[in-house]
Amino acid sequence: DSAGQARLFWGFLAQATYQINPTWKVGINYGQSRLEETRQDTRDRRNGDYAAAKKQESGVFSVTYNLNSFTQFVAEYILARQTWHDGAHQTSNQFAFGTMFYW
């Protein structure tokens, strides 16, 4: 913080997948990263000088299709959100599509 005090960060990630059959697999994960305000951060925020990010979180839903033993397609939907200690927040919705080749 602005007084040189170390901030406490902590978080977690949970993930699970389910193989429906040899061709299809679905997955889901959710994670957070959190920041605890120091006393100086609280003073700075109340004075309008600074607002630290309180929580960053993201959830992902994925679908995987195995075309054959060496080609795989993956589609994902990602919901991400950031919240600041002053109550402001920002949300993002994203889609991703990709492929992997194995040899």
Side-chain angles (χ1 to χ4, degrees):
D1 66 10
S2 62
Q5 179 69 34
R7 294 183 178 110
L8 173 65
F9 287 89
W10 60 276
F12 65 89
L13 176 67
Q15 182 172 345
T17 59
Y18 178 72
Q19 188 80 39
I20 298 170
N21 58 40
T23 305
W24 292 95
K25 178 170 59 173
V26 294
I28 189 166
N29 77 37
Y30 177 77
Q32 284 187 11
S33 177
R34 291 181 169 252
L35 164 71
E36 302 296 332
E37 272 189 325
T38 63
R39 287 186 181 141
Q40 185 63 44
D41 285 335
T42 303
R43 284 192 285 273
D44 290 346
R45 178 173 48 84
R46 288 181 181 158
N47 290 333
D49 296 331
Y50 176 73
K54 178 180 184 179
K55 176 174 61 173
Q56 295 175 314
E57 59 188 323
S58 179
V60 179
F61 175 74
S62 67
V63 176
T64 303
Y65 174 72
N66 292 310
L67 180 65
N68 51 41
S69 63
F70 56 87
T71 306
Q72 188 177 67
F73 296 98
V74 180
E76 294 181 334
Y77 166 69
I78 303 109
L79 173 63
R81 184 176 182 126
Q82 182 158 333
T83 306
W84 286 268
H85 280 281
D86 64 0
H89 65 274
Q90 181 179 20
T91 302
S92 170
N93 291 287
Q94 305 161 38
F95 295 93
F97 182 76
T99 187
M100 291 179 268
F101 300 102
Y102 303 95
W103 60 89

